């Protein structure tokens, strides 16, 4: 049974299919139809809702795609929809009123999603700047209104930093209600001959996986849910790791960052950006904020997609996975995790517990470049990560990872060898670009042709070289956004 708050109503669900999404739960079980389905794949934002969680003695609110969120993830949380925002006396929430005042809606289909994204923004960044607004709304698409009046509404809300609403007034009451729901015991949801377990510790998770080795692990669900919503498959047994507290931590050691595999990308951003600003910039372009609020670094690796954003970066940084099976724990370099297309070195019953990212070394130069058809909310055609140690003008170490160039995320070993021990100059870079062309045999698909991938991958190394020359030359289109 799962227990959660629907706005301020305590809900308990026992006989419910774990394959049901929050979107379908809202529309078919509780009659809240303000939340819309546009794409069913987390691209349009029409289904955006907000999840509230207890963070100490405060509430923390996050926008998520309800079409990609299974109901199992609701346990211990507060679920908010557009119908819940008006005050107890019936007045519109300030965010809703701003959309009215600035004519931010025409057909209205996308409007509830925009409002929920703006509501979450008002809670997390009360005095949001333009960059914050763009980031918060990047995962919401509008066909007919145009974005200017919607952005104007968001700016008007940001000018009211002391936004008063019922959620602020009753915050302590909500915190106390959620504290009573929280438990350190196993939560199970079953229905329609399916089951989802929600352990609270990695030890409990390890035991469950030994008992159910064929179970699918569910973290953010931003990819796994597509098997249900897009491919209409059934997931008989799932294990939700979003309540495993010791897998949601981030520990900083002398040598690196130890990131729990169930920690969200949003929560991992600050530390990764502090040490590797290019990694931080990549995370800003990692799908949408709704996806980053749910998705995890461990899930992005475990998914084993050849076009996943994080794996080539982790490979270049020489990151390590901590894998666990029962009581056995082993470490494996990220580059050795991927064997072939969607095939990994992870054993049955084994799971990624943590990711260890080394801190920068002296004279280290690190760059990441993502090529996609859109700046925001898009998948890579090519993603290149360059990690170079340059001492006295000579390349003494090189680790270069690429996504989108092979059946797996992969190092450009020939390119690395062409750089090692050589002077960091144009002649060396040109030779390394030529060597890189022999490292991969990319495929052509609807995102890019093999010729495009081959040429642009080499050009990204050239771009890395240009950026190291301290020229007053802007090379990144993201700088103009």
């Amino acid at each position: 049974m799962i227990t959660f708050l629907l706005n301020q109503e305590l809900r308990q669900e026992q006989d419910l299919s774990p394959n049901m999404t929050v979107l379908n739960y809202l529309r078919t079980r509780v009659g809240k139809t303000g939340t819309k389905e546009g794409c069913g794949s987390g691209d349009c934002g029409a289904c955006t809702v907000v999840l509230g969680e207890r963070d100490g003695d405060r509430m923390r609110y996050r926008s998520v795609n309800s079409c990609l969120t299974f109901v199992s993830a609701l346990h211990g949380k507060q679920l908010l929809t557009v119908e819940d925002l008006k005050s107890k006396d019936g007045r519109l929430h300030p965010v809703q009123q701003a959309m009215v005042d600035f004519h931010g809606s025409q057909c209205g289909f996308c409007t509830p999603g925009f409002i929920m994204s703006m509501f979450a923004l008002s809670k997390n960044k009360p005095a949001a700047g333009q960059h914050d607004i763009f980031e918060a709304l990047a995962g919401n698409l509008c066909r007919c209104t145009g974005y200017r009046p919607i952005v104007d509404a968001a700016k008007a809300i940001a000018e009211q930093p002391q936004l008063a609403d019922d959620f602020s007034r009753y915050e302590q009451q909500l915190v106390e209600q959620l504290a009573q729901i929280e438990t350190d015991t196993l939560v199970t949801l079953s229905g329609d001959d399916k089951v989802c377990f929600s352990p609270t510790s990695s030890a409990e998770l390890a035991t469950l996986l030994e008992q159910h080795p064929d179970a699918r692990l569910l973290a953010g669900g931003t990819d796994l849910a597509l098997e249900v919503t897009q491919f209409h498959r059934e997931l008989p047994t799932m294990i939700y790791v979003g309540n495993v507290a010791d897998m949601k931590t981030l520990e900083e050691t002398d040598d690196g960052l130890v990131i729990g595999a169930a920690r969200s990308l949003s929560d991992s951003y600050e530390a990764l950006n502090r040490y590797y600003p290019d990694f931080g910039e990549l995370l800003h372009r990692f799908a949408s904020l709704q996806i980053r609020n749910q998705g995890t670094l461990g899930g992005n690796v475990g998914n084993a997609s050849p076009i996943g954003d994080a794996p080539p970066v982790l490979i270049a940084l020489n990151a390590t996975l901590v894998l666990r099976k029962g009581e056995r724990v082993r470490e494996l370099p990220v580059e050795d995790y991927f064997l072939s297309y969607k095939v990994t070195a992870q054993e049955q019953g084994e799971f990624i517990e943590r990711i260890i990212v080394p801190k920068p070394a002296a004279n280290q130069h690190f760059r990441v470049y993502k090529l996609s058809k859109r700046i925001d909310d898009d998948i890579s055609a090519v993603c290149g990560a360059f990690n170079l140690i340059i001492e006295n003008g000579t390349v003494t170490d090189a680790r270069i990872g690429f996504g989108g160039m092979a059946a797996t995320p992969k190092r450009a070993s020939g390119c690395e060898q062409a750089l090692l021990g050589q002077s960091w100059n144009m002649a060396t870079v040109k030779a390394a670009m030529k060597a890189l062309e022999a490292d991969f045999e990319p495929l052509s698909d609807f995102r890019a042709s093999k010729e495009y991938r081959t040429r642009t991958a080499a050009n990204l190394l050239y771009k890395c070289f240009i950026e190291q020359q301290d020229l007053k030359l802007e090379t990144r289109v993201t700088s103009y956004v």
Side-chain angles (χ1 to χ4, degrees):
M1 179 176 70
I2 60 170
T3 305
F4 63 96
L5 294 177
L6 181 59
N7 193 4
Q8 298 185 41
E9 174 194 354
L10 184 68
R11 302 279 301 192
Q12 291 185 321
E13 296 289 353
Q14 186 165 359
D15 184 16
L16 191 66
S17 171
N19 283 194
M20 177 175 282
T21 64
V22 172
L23 173 65
N24 286 336
Y25 176 80
L26 288 170
R27 295 184 63 84
T28 64
R29 288 299 184 105
V30 297
K32 293 201 171 190
T33 56
T35 306
K36 302 293 193 291
E37 178 173 2
C39 65
S41 58
D43 289 321
C44 73
C47 72
T48 301
V49 296
V50 168
L51 294 182
E53 298 180 76
R54 187 173 75 92
D55 185 12
D57 59 353
R58 301 296 305 272
M59 288 294 295
R60 183 183 188 187
Y61 293 99
R62 295 187 178 197
S63 58
V64 302
N65 296 115
S66 62
C67 73
L68 297 181
T69 305
F70 289 123
V71 288
S72 303
L74 295 178
H75 181 77
K77 300 181 178 69
Q78 181 190 33
L79 172 61
L80 298 175
T81 72
V82 69
E83 291 96 338
D84 301 324
L85 297 192
K86 65 182 179 182
S87 63
K88 290 183 180 296
D89 61 10
R91 287 179 299 161
L92 292 178
H93 189 276
V95 170
Q96 294 171 310
Q97 189 61 55
M99 286 288 276
V100 173
D101 294 342
F102 288 88
H103 309 286
S105 177
Q106 285 188 34
C107 81
F109 193 89
C110 68
T111 304
F114 271 102
I115 286 174
M116 297 312 294
S117 291
M118 289 167 59
F119 169 78
L121 176 64
S122 73
K123 292 298 180 184
N124 295 316
K125 296 183 178 179
Q130 180 167 285
H131 177 79
D132 300 319
I133 292 171
F134 286 175
E135 180 182 37
L137 301 183
N140 295 82
L141 304 181
C142 176
R143 177 188 175 112
C144 55
T145 303
Y147 298 99
R148 185 193 55 77
I150 299 172
V151 171
D152 287 346
K155 288 180 177 178
I157 292 297
E159 293 171 359
Q160 307 174 46
Q162 302 301 319
L163 197 65
D165 60 17
D166 285 352
F167 304 97
S168 299
R169 297 185 187 98
Y170 300 106
E171 183 174 21
Q172 289 308 307
Q173 177 183 323
L174 292 170
V175 167
E176 292 170 7
Q177 285 181 284
L178 292 183
Q180 293 175 0
I181 296 173
E182 291 178 4
T183 176
D184 58 1
T185 59
L186 180 68
V187 173
T188 304
L189 178 66
S190 59
D192 196 21
D193 295 324
K194 302 174 182 66
V195 64
C196 182
F197 302 100
S198 298
T200 58
S201 70
S202 55
E204 194 173 37
L205 168 60
T207 300
L208 278 169
L209 263 181
E210 285 187 310
Q211 297 169 350
H212 306 276
D214 294 326
R216 302 294 297 275
L217 289 186
L218 169 65
T222 57
D223 189 80
L224 183 63
L226 296 177
E227 295 194 23
V228 174
T229 64
Q230 300 295 298
F231 298 101
H232 307 290
R233 297 171 185 157
E234 294 187 343
L235 304 175
T237 306
M238 291 189 290
I239 301 177
Y240 176 59
V241 301
N243 292 326
V244 179
D246 57 319
M247 286 175 56
K248 298 176 72 175
T249 60
L250 191 152
E251 178 187 359
E252 185 170 336
T253 67
D254 291 339
D255 301 321
L257 302 173
V258 183
I259 304 172
R263 187 178 181 87
S264 74
L265 294 165
S266 293
D267 285 344
S268 304
Y269 168 80
E270 189 279 329
L272 290 171
N273 182 67
R274 182 168 13 111
Y275 288 103
Y276 298 106
D278 267 31
F279 203 164
E281 183 172 317
L282 178 72
L283 288 179
H284 271 303
R285 296 182 57 200
F286 192 115
S288 64
L289 183 59
Q290 290 97 316
I291 296 294
R292 297 194 293 276
N293 285 340
Q294 294 265 79
T296 64
L297 200 60
N300 195 236
V301 174
N303 183 39
S305 170
I307 51 175
D309 283 342
V313 181
L314 295 173
I315 288 173
L317 290 175
N318 199 21
T320 302
L321 302 177
V322 178
L323 298 167
R324 179 169 180 173
K325 182 177 181 179
E327 294 297 321
R328 190 195 74 183
V329 176
R330 65 178 176 129
E331 293 189 8
L332 183 72
V334 173
E335 66 177 292
D336 295 336
Y337 180 74
F338 307 102
L339 301 181
S340 60
Y341 179 72
K342 290 284 188 175
V343 177
T344 73
Q346 186 171 312
E347 300 173 5
Q348 189 176 43
E350 193 173 41
F351 63 95
I352 302 172
E353 189 175 40
R354 298 184 297 278
I355 301 100
I356 303 174
V357 181
K359 287 182 177 177
N363 301 311
Q364 181 172 333
H365 302 267
F366 181 70
R367 295 290 187 273
V368 178
Y369 308 108
K370 173 178 177 175
L371 299 179
S372 57
K373 293 184 178 180
R374 297 194 305 262
I375 292 294
D376 295 304
D377 201 11
D378 202 3
I379 296 173
S380 298
V382 176
C383 184
F386 302 86
N387 188 10
L388 307 174
I389 304 294
I390 303 174
E391 298 177 329
N392 299 318
T394 299
V395 180
T396 59
D397 194 17
R399 293 185 62 91
I400 299 173
F402 272 97
M405 295 293 291
T408 67
K410 185 180 176 185
R411 286 179 71 175
S413 55
C415 178
E416 293 173 357
Q417 289 302 314
L419 292 170
L420 284 173
Q422 303 299 314
S423 298
W424 181 238
N425 57 33
M426 181 66 76
T428 297
V429 170
K430 290 291 186 181
M433 290 170 64
K434 189 66 177 177
L436 195 151
E437 294 179 4
D439 277 328
F440 303 103
E441 294 182 6
L443 297 176
S444 294
D445 58 22
F446 66 94
R447 290 191 177 89
S449 67
K450 62 181 182 180
E451 292 83 7
Y452 174 87
R453 287 185 161 110
T454 299
R455 178 171 293 186
T456 55
N459 285 344
L460 291 181
L461 174 60
Y462 183 44
K463 183 174 184 175
C464 177
F465 174 73
I466 291 174
E467 290 189 349
Q468 294 296 319
Q469 305 311 302
D470 196 28
L471 301 174
K472 303 301 180 183
L473 179 66
E474 186 56 69
T475 66
R476 305 193 181 201
V477 295
T478 52
S479 301
Y480 301 101
V481 175

